[in-house]
Every structure is written in structure tokens, then in C-alpha cells.
């Protein structure tokens, strides 16, 4: 887990960490491909939020601000907005955090921490709360966990799932909320990078490679989300925890 951590390690292994222009663009496209994967896997939950957004706006303009006046999808939108708010701080921290991605050993250490966090999420987090039981404070807690995940190697999904479990969410709902929450996070992060992306257009000769990379990211993203959803129903997150610790140790030892 942790796409940014894996990308940083891959750049270190293949000696591409200093080729900022081309690989900066490539990383952005890979993250957008994972966004497509989220839309595909959770389309039944995501697309109904579009008309719900306009209903929510209408109610706000009519002076209806209490959650009790909103249906479940409108509440989901409110919670997604609240959980996204802490990411505003990431705008001021982004440059310093991205610099950490150049040090494979540091990323490996954070991956180990990520594995520990995932392990604790199942040990500490108990509960079966769903959307109907969610509170605004829960959304902010998950959002703060997402802010911590701007560190390369600290999984965004792992951090937000942990936050959800600590709030008493069921595994299934914690996973679903985590991935739907990734949509504004990914879009917001890439909107800020559009000026840099325009300065580094994709060379025509590299288009096939970029396309294959995006396809691979989308397909593996879908498979990973399906696997995580299955595991959240049938078992625990221990296997993901062990994987992160193993990859992190290799990065620390050989990075």
C-alpha cells in the first residue's frame, strides 16, 4: 500500500529520482488512473452523489443546515467535505514533504510505520458503525489521518481506514469511505500541479508507454480495491501490514 511510497522507491531503484520533469508528469497520470479505478469500483456509491450535491445546495440556500434535514447521500457529501478540509494544510507542507521522497531509506521507514498503523487499526479499532451512525467529528478525525498520509510511504487509504476504525466504523464502511474520500484528495492535489504539468508536456514518442502505465495503474488499482474490500469482510488487514513492513525493511536495508 501507499502509491507515493512505492513510486519513490521505484524511482530510487531505477535511478530516475532526479529526472523531475518527465517522471513528475508520469506520476500525476498514474494517480489519475487510480482515480478512474475508484470511480469504476464504487460507481454505485459515487454517481448518486452528483444529484445529491445539487439537492444539498438547494437545501443550504433554503436555510436548512441541520444534518437531520439531509438524506444519507447528502450527509455523505457533508462528511466528505469535512474530511477533506484538513488537506488545506497540505498546500503549505507539500514542498517539504515531497523532498522526503528522494530518500529511499526514509520512505522505507515510513512504510514500516504504515504497516504498524494498519496492524493497530484492527487491534484497537472495534465497532460496526455505518453512515447513519457517523458524526461530523468522525469525518474530521478521518480527514486528519488523511493529512498525515501526505508523507511518502504512509498509505492514504491505510491511514484513513485506521481513522475510520478508531471512530468505530465497520471494516467495510471504513474502506468504502476511505476510497470515496480519495476523489477530492486526488483531484485537488493534481489541480495544483496543472501549471507544472503544462510546462512538461508528454513527448509524442512516450505516449504509448504513458498509456500502458496508466492502464496498469488502473487495473492494479481495481484489483487492489476489490481485494481490500474482500479482506475487510472476511478477515483483517494483517497481510497488508506485513507486506508494508517487509517492503519498508528492504528499502531501509538496500535503499
Amino acid at each position: 500500500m501507499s502509491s507515493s511510497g512505492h513510486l519513490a522507491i521505484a524511482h530510487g531503484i531505477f535511478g530516475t529520482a532526479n529526472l523531475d520533469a518527465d517522471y513528475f508528469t508520469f506520476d500525476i497520470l498514474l494517480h489519475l488512473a487510480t482515480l478512474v479505478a475508484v470511480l469504476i469500483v464504487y460507481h454505485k456509491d459515487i454517481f448518486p452523489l452528483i444529484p445529491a450535491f445539487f439537492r444539498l445546495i438547494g437545501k443550504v440556500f433554503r436555510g436548512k443546515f441541520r444534518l437531520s434535514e439531509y438524506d444519507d447521500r447528502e450527509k455523505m457529501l457533508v462528511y466528505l467535505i469535512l474530511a477533506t478540509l484538513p488537506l488545506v494544510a497540505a498546500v503549505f507542507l507539500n514542498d517539504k514533504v515531497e523532498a522526503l521522497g528522494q530518500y529511499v531509506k526514509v520512505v522505507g521507514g515510513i512504510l514500516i510505520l504504515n504497516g504498524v498503523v494498519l496492524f493497530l487499526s484492527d487491534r484497537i479499532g472495534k465497532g460496526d458503525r455505518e453512515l447513519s451512525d457517523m458524526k461530523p467529528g468522525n469525518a474530521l478525525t478521518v480527514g486528519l489521518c488523511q493529512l498525515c498520509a501526505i508523507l511518502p510511504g504512509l498509505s492514504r487509504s491505510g491511514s484513513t481506514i485506521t481513522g475510520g476504525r478508531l471512530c468505530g466504523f465497520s471494516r467495510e464502511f471504513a474502506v468504502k469511505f476511505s476510497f470515496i474520500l480519495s476523489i477530492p484528495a486526488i483531484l485537488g492535489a493534481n489541480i495544483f500541479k496543472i501549471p507544472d504539468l503544462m510546462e512538461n508536456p508528454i513527448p509524442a514518442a512516450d505516449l504509448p508507454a504513458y498509456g500502458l502505465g496508466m492502464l496498469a495503474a488502473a487495473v492494479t488499482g481495481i484489483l487492489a480495491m476489490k481485494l481490500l474490500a474482500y479482506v475487510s469482510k472476511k478477515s483483517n488487514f494483517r497481510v497488508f501490514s506485513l507486506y508494508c513492513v517487509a517492503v519498508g525493511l528492504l528499502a531501509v536495508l538496500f535503499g
Side-chain angles (χ1 to χ4, degrees):
M1 303 177 77
S2 177
S3 57
S4 61
H6 283 70
L7 284 171
I9 291 174
H11 287 326
I13 291 173
F14 295 110
T16 61
N18 296 319
L19 303 181
D20 291 335
D22 289 343
Y23 288 94
F24 174 81
T25 302
F26 188 49
D27 286 356
I28 290 177
L29 294 178
L30 291 183
H31 282 107
L32 289 177
T34 61
L35 174 60
V36 173
V38 174
L39 294 174
I40 292 173
V41 174
Y42 289 101
H43 66 278
K44 292 182 179 179
D45 298 288
I46 294 170
F47 291 114
L49 294 177
I50 298 174
F53 172 78
F54 293 103
R55 293 199 305 271
L56 178 63
I57 294 296
K59 288 182 178 181
V60 169
F61 275 108
R62 293 197 299 272
K64 296 182 178 181
F65 300 109
R66 292 184 297 181
L67 284 173
S68 59
E69 299 178 293
Y70 302 154
D71 63 31
D72 282 348
R73 291 194 174 109
E74 292 161 0
K75 289 179 182 177
M76 183 67 146
L77 285 168
V78 172
Y79 296 140
L80 289 171
I81 292 169
L82 288 174
T84 303
L85 286 178
L87 280 184
V88 173
V91 176
F92 306 100
L93 301 171
N94 190 57
D95 291 339
K96 294 180 179 179
V97 169
E98 283 189 348
L100 293 176
Q102 299 176 17
Y103 304 97
V104 175
K105 290 181 181 292
V106 173
V107 175
I110 297 174
L111 265 173
I112 295 172
L113 174 62
N114 185 63
V116 174
V117 167
L118 279 173
F119 181 79
L120 292 177
S121 72
D122 262 337
R123 293 288 180 176
I124 299 175
K126 302 292 182 181
D128 56 359
R129 300 175 67 190
E130 302 290 334
L131 176 61
S132 58
D133 307 306
M134 195 171 179
K135 305 295 182 185
N138 301 146
L140 287 172
T141 298
V142 175
L144 289 171
C145 290
Q146 180 169 248
L147 176 61
C148 294
I150 64 174
L151 292 171
L154 193 58
S155 167
R156 193 212 63 82
S157 57
S159 298
T160 50
I161 290 170
T162 298
R165 292 291 285 153
L166 291 175
C167 291
F169 297 167
S170 67
R171 285 197 191 97
E172 295 93 325
F173 180 67
V175 170
K176 180 189 295 186
F177 188 76
S178 169
F179 281 115
I180 295 177
L181 181 61
S182 73
I183 297 173
I186 295 173
L187 285 176
N190 286 293
I191 285 173
F192 281 106
K193 293 175 180 177
I194 286 177
D196 295 315
L197 188 61
M198 297 299 291
E199 292 177 5
N200 302 299
I202 302 172
D206 292 342
L207 285 175
Y210 277 57
L212 286 174
M214 292 180 70
L215 179 62
V219 171
T220 54
I222 291 171
L223 293 175
M225 280 182 273
K226 291 285 189 180
L227 176 61
L228 188 55
Y230 175 80
V231 170
S232 69
K233 292 180 181 179
K234 303 294 183 180
S235 183
N236 53 48
F237 302 131
R238 189 175 303 169
V239 63
F240 298 106
S241 172
L242 293 174
Y243 170 78
C244 287
V245 171
V247 174
L249 284 172
L250 289 173
V252 170
L253 292 173
F254 304 109

